[in-house]
Amino acid sequence: GAGVSQSPSNKVTEKGKDVELRCDPISGHTALYWYRQSLGQGLEFLIYFQGNSAPDKSGLPSDRFSAERTGGSVSTLTIQRTQQEDSAVYLCASVGSYEQYFGPGTRLTVT
Amino acid sequence: GDSVTQMEGPVTLSEEAFLTINCTYTATGYPSLFWYVQYPGEGLQLLLKATKADDKGSNKGFEATYRKETTSFHLEKGSVQVSDSAVYFCASNDYKLSFGAGTTVTVRA
């Protein structure tokens, strides 16, 4: 069946521009995570959506980062006024029973 | 909150050597535990999992046992291959998913 998809797969943007990253989770999964992985680093938790509950935003690094999840399905991560340190791979994970399924990621490069 | 601590790398081994990567967790409840693997240039893949105490997850020759008494989930493989070179992440899922920092493993022929 269909897995988790993310778009775009690669995004190059100029410093100061806004970007939107999209995640299409697996149908029926109620929980969704956003992580980022900088080159050679581990996974940094960003935000967690669970059903209709208020999202856990404790991992967002600054107020330039925001995310929403519409209709309990598709999620969009928005980064405003991008900085070079925002360059990373942004990963989305869709959560089923006991298992998380990761998308292929969006590689963001801020020049 | 919940957290995962795993052995720092990098780890370099010769082919057919024994591999252990230590992982311990803290949790208020009874989390499910996972090992993920990221091969060079690829995305994260689930390697194995265990959902309750004393469960043993296994896959591709790797094993890990959920030890509640020591809050551990150490990853082991008896005889590694060059193709096992990757970054390995331990993770726990209680209220939310928490990852360790990752351990880079390099296996030399």
Side-chain angles (χ1 to χ4, degrees):
Chain A
V4 181
S5 60
Q6 292 185 246
S7 60
S9 56
N10 278 284
K11 176 72 176 178
V12 180
T13 190
E14 292 181 354
K15 176 181 173 181
K17 300 286 189 183
D18 297 352
V19 295
E20 282 191 356
L21 311 180
R22 177 186 169 107
C23 172
D24 285 85
I26 294 171
S27 178
H29 283 188
T30 58
L32 184 150
Y33 293 84
W34 282 99
Y35 291 87
R36 73 176 174 182
Q37 187 176 28
S38 301
L39 186 62
Q41 302 298 310
L43 278 78
E44 178 185 4
F45 165 76
L46 297 177
I47 189 168
Y48 166 54
F49 295 91
Q50 172 62 62
N52 295 321
S53 302
D56 179 347
K57 303 179 182 180
S58 60
L60 295 178
S62 77
D63 59 7
R64 296 186 295 104
F65 287 72
S66 62
E68 63 177 20
R69 189 177 184 196
T70 54
S73 180
V74 171
S75 179
T76 303
L77 177 69
T78 302
I79 308 173
Q80 296 178 311
R81 305 181 302 281
T82 53
Q83 304 295 311
Q84 288 186 331
E85 60 263 29
D86 299 336
S87 296
V89 176
Y90 288 81
L91 293 168
C92 171
S94 173
V95 186
S97 299
Y98 301 120
E99 241 177 272
Q100 308 79 37
Y101 298 85
F102 281 85
T106 295
R107 182 174 297 279
L108 175 66
T109 303
V110 182
T111 61
Chain B
D2 297 357
S3 67
V4 175
T5 303
Q6 67 181 94
M7 186 174 82
E8 291 187 16
V11 174
T12 302
L13 301 165
S14 296
E15 225 172 5
E16 300 184 2
F18 184 87
L19 170 68
T20 299
I21 305 176
N22 290 340
C23 171
T24 58
Y25 67 91
T26 60
T28 53
Y30 300 96
S32 298
L33 302 172
F34 308 84
W35 277 99
Y36 281 83
V37 58
Q38 187 173 33
Y39 297 105
E42 298 185 15
L44 275 168
Q45 302 175 28
L46 178 66
L47 179 60
L48 54 84
K49 67 180 180 183
T51 58
K52 62 183 187 296
D54 299 326
D55 269 2
K56 178 185 283 187
S58 60
N59 186 24
K60 299 183 180 180
F62 289 88
E63 292 184 340
T65 301
Y66 190 144
R67 300 286 187 200
K68 184 181 168 197
E69 62 276 12
T70 54
T71 61
S72 65
F73 193 55
H74 305 322
L75 183 68
E76 296 181 338
K77 185 171 185 179
S79 177
V80 294
Q81 305 300 313
V82 172
S83 57
D84 294 324
S85 297
V87 182
Y88 293 82
F89 294 91
C90 185
S92 73
N93 187 6
D94 187 1
Y95 134 74
K96 71 178 182 182
L97 187 59
S98 299
F99 278 85
T103 302
T104 301
V105 174
T106 302
V107 181
R108 302 195 186 281

